[in-house]
Amino acid sequence: MRRVVVKKTVKMVQACRLRLKPSAPFNFVATAFKPSHYQSAIVFFENGKLYQTLRIGRSLFGIVLSDSGNDVNHPEVTLAVYARPGAKISQQDKDEIVAEITFRYNLGADISDFNRSFKADKALSGPIKRLRGMRPSCAYSLYEFLMITTMLQNTVVKRSIAMTEALLNDFGTRVSFAGKEICAVWEPKAIEKTTEEHLRELRIGYRAKIVKRISQAFAEGEVDEPGLRRMDKEDAKKSLLSIYGVGPQSVWYLLFEYFHFYDALDHISPWEGKILSMLLFGNKLNPPEETVDFLNAEYGPWRALAVHYLLEDVFWQRKEKTIPWLEEEIRN
């Protein structure tokens, strides 16, 4: 069996604290933490605080986000930035960190019309009341997000976690700050320099080829992430589908969760289809394509956000009580 060498931990100290003013309404906890997502060693949420790493250029930072406003209608977020001892953070670094966090957590979004339009909707009234101000968000860079979604392909969550941790042990960076220890995803060039055979030794199967090809594309500058962020939905979709390993199903997750297009819903997976069918129609039998048609008709330009509220709400409820029909789907 191949021996994994755990790398030395990089210890960081607080370098600055910044205040961010999201648009209202804004639900910090529901935006920062998604109970429907699997938990990894990359992002850590505890006691109302979110811990993650962030790469700006060649620099790696530790980030802690917390809710300092405690009011959905008058939100404020504290951003604590950690760096290697002695490292100096320039104003440009601060500006880029703020811009990146603002984009990833969708802090400038205006979803007030969504709340007004569907606050009395049969399916959405409860989720909106409980999660009002929640936004789609993504803690990762585009490259990191693609690495995570590749590990999620065609397998169970336990296996996804094992494969992600195997890659992190070999290529990631362990970082300690604010009393927590988490892992930072490797840079694309680290994978570019290794072989597909070596990746297969980590027991990630056919994903080795995908990880290698995506990493090469990013390392060689073939993917223009800032440019993608400026595109409309159709152009972004076309560009994303040109990336090796991104298919018709995963592109919708990217368009909604990462690029925040609230109408990015032309497809739902069979697993999600059963959950949505249960929530909308009281049974798991409605075909996914018919559920998509219903969502398009009912929620129009807000259809993907509507799905997000429905799914996250039931998973938040699961944290408080057992939902037998949902547990059955999760086990499967």
Side-chain angles (χ1 to χ4, degrees), residues 105-330:
Y105 291 95
N106 212 7
L107 300 186
D110 180 4
I111 60 171
S112 56
D113 188 53
F114 172 78
N115 295 320
R116 286 191 298 268
S117 298
F118 304 113
K119 65 181 180 180
D121 181 81
K122 181 180 178 180
L124 284 177
S125 59
I128 287 176
K129 182 178 180 180
R130 289 183 286 268
L131 301 175
R132 180 171 170 267
M134 177 181 69
R135 321 276 174 85
S137 64
C138 182
Y140 313 115
S141 68
L142 178 58
Y143 173 75
E144 293 165 348
F145 189 82
L146 289 170
M147 292 295 100
I148 296 298
T149 55
T150 299
M151 294 307 108
L152 286 169
Q153 287 181 7
N154 303 319
T155 190
V156 296
V157 170
K158 184 177 179 180
R159 177 84 175 105
S160 295
I161 292 173
M163 291 187 291
T164 303
E165 290 180 351
L167 286 167
L168 286 169
N169 282 335
D170 237 44
F171 301 104
T173 302
R174 197 173 300 277
V175 183
S176 174
F177 60 93
K180 305 296 180 185
E181 190 171 284
I182 62 176
C183 291
V185 174
W186 53 92
E187 294 184 84
K189 66 178 183 179
I191 301 291
E192 184 191 30
K193 292 178 180 178
T194 195
T195 63
E196 185 177 325
E197 290 71 23
H198 175 72
L199 293 172
R200 288 184 179 274
E201 289 178 11
L202 300 179
R203 301 182 66 184
I204 65 172
Y206 73 89
R207 299 166 191 83
K209 183 176 182 179
I210 299 174
V211 168
K212 180 72 173 173
R213 290 279 295 271
I214 292 176
S215 298
Q216 287 178 328
F218 276 83
E220 295 171 7
E222 294 176 11
V223 180
D224 178 12
E225 184 171 354
L228 277 165
R229 293 183 183 183
R230 294 189 294 269
M231 293 181 185
D232 62 25
K233 186 182 69 176
E234 290 307 313
D235 286 341
K237 176 185 173 182
K238 182 178 179 181
S239 293
L240 289 168
L241 286 171
S242 70
I243 300 173
Y244 187 84
V246 175
Q249 180 169 323
S250 57
V251 74
W252 299 108
Y253 294 116
L254 285 162
L255 289 171
F256 175 68
E257 291 192 25
Y258 192 79
F259 292 98
H260 315 315
F261 289 106
Y262 300 137
D263 62 343
L265 185 75
D266 281 7
H267 175 89
I268 53 176
S269 68
W271 180 75
E272 291 169 320
K274 289 181 180 180
I275 296 174
L276 289 169
S277 179
M278 192 71 179
L279 294 172
L280 294 169
F281 312 116
N283 63 72
K284 301 178 184 178
L285 304 177
N286 204 59
E289 58 272 16
E290 291 185 13
T291 300
V292 170
D293 290 341
F294 172 85
L295 291 163
N296 289 345
E298 290 292 313
Y299 305 116
W302 297 105
R303 54 190 179 271
L305 188 61
V307 168
H308 190 56
Y309 268 74
L310 290 167
L311 292 177
E312 292 305 323
D313 180 62
V314 74
F315 274 91
W316 273 107
Q317 291 182 54
R318 177 177 176 258
K319 291 177 66 64
E320 303 296 329
K321 63 182 180 181
T322 300
I323 304 175
W325 65 265
L326 182 59
E327 296 301 325
E328 181 180 331
E329 291 308 315
I330 292 172

